[in-house]
Amino acid sequence: MSDGNRTNYNKWWKNAVIYQIYPRSFADSNGDGIGDLQGIISKLDYLEKLGIDAIWLSPVCKSPQDDNGYDISDYQDIDPMFGTLQDMEELIAEAEKHHIRIIMDLVLNHSSDEHPWFLEAKKSRENPYHDYYVWRDGTEETFPNDMRAAFGGPAWEWVPEVGQFYFHQFSVKQPDLNWENPKLRREIYDMINWWIGKGVGGFRLDVIDQIAKEPDKQITNNGPRLHEFLRELSRETFQKADLVTVGEAWGANTELAKLYSNPDNSELSMVFQFEHICLDQIPGKEKWDLAPLPFLKLKEVFGRWQTHLYGKGWNSLFWNNHDLPRIVSRWGDDGKYRVESAKMLAILLHGMQGTPYIYQGEELGMTNVRYDMEEYRDIETLNLYRERLEKGYQKEDVMDSIYGKSRDNARTPMQWNNGENAGFTTGNPWIKVNPNYKEINAASQITDENSIFNCYRQLIRLRKQYPVFVDGEFHMLCDEDESVFAYSREDSDSQLLVICNFYGKTVNNPLEKPEDSAKLLIANYQDTDWNDILRPYEARMYLINKRDNI
Ligand code: GLC
Ligand code: CA
């Protein structure tokens, strides 16, 4: 596109760091045990101190909470559990005073079955809202096909009133919206523009690659009309304002990511892709079937995304979100080397090109949990437990899968201090607090300059200080090394060098010592001299000023 103003080259979100809040687990202001908007407002000082630029807020719209808000029954109102529309307006305004923008979670692939559109749609085939959803004929006993829903069971649900099945890729309470219908699309654009008018800073688009489904062909993601829909969506909404937009796209590869995040601004700012985060999954099996991480493959995947998107698109950088286990427990060490490994993972990720996302509690090194089954709350976890026991799995094996991958690992309350309920609530928390809150909490880390919190804080500052973080070209180093993850980023002025021992054993440092003028920007051990070995999880980041060497 020739219109220079519309290209993405100098966008604010390129040196921004985004913090994800899962509202029900962040901070509870009224003692009902559930985090809420006033709770978030009360923590804006903390977030400003950390230095983040924007908050991605998991859904706070009205919802029966079958899937914790990812089932929306009113896109233009706030769920009373979280507060009111006025609280939301207050959050946007207060956050702005802290130089923080609010990014809403848009769930556009499906609504709740309690949304007025669906209540109408299921009344009759002639109802004007019927075609807002995806229906197929059949008889009660014969499903249109054998497609399965992501949370278990068939993807089709029979509605006797209309004598048809509706399609749902997630729970039965999340009927899929029919994007083929232009009227539905128009309603969605109007709703988005209404939120833009309220001053939000952007949107995260839930499972956006699934909107162009074609169930007759068993197509769920990357349907033929996906990018046509996205371009229309962007033109009608996002392009009118200076927003950041990020699409959740489990099925993206680098070629597709270039479409989504084309610098001509025709679709989105960037995507969340999951190739790196699915690597400990056995191909063709479910995420619950645990496998060790193939480390060389991890390097290859990061390297490929960094180089393929360079100058042609934009990456999101993340280890965690509300659907993933805690990274320090997963690929670090949540025991002896918790602090070192959490910092190593942070340094490794934050030196790359893209927009980093920090998931609440990641900046404290919060860990996975091992609860008794009755403490779990997530619909996906509960369904898995039931289904696998029915299929004859051993209970211990099912529990191991849950300890490893349950989404509730990320959803335990934020650990603010060592007081009751970790300072999250004065009431009964909706989900049990991780018992390690006395040791791991924000209050103790803010004041400790060697804490994980302060490591993240420093990384955010560095990103703003040195342009090489934003525009430097990525080169993987020692890509065959079985323990060390090392890379450089280079622009015309400087070189950034990142060296990480990914494991808990001391190894030889495979790199040459950089010039004496190289500046150590950050490390996770306190002594600063170059060493020919790398200690457990040791991570170092250097800046080499090329002009010094001329
Ligand atoms: C996304 C969300 C997840 C939700 C699902 C259905 O993957 O991140 O939490 O359950 O979409 O909306
Ligand atoms: Ca509350």
Side-chain angles (χ1 to χ4, degrees), residues 20 58 60 66 68 94 96 117 140 144 155-156 169 201 243 269 322 337 339 356 367 411 419 458 467 475 491:
Q20 185 191 352
S58 275
V60 290
D66 179 56
N68 289 0
E94 289 302 311
E96 196 182 334
W117 295 340
E140 196 171 350
W156 299 101
Q169 300 190 59
L243 301 175
S269 316
H322 63 292
Y337 293 113
V339 174
T367 68
R411 299 178 181 186
Q458 210 178 330
H475 300 281
D491 65 13

Side-chain angles (χ1 to χ4, degrees), residues 27-36 81-82 425:
D28 175 22
S29 71
N30 62 354
D32 66 356
I34 303 168
D36 45 51
M81 168 198 287
F82 297 124
T425 180

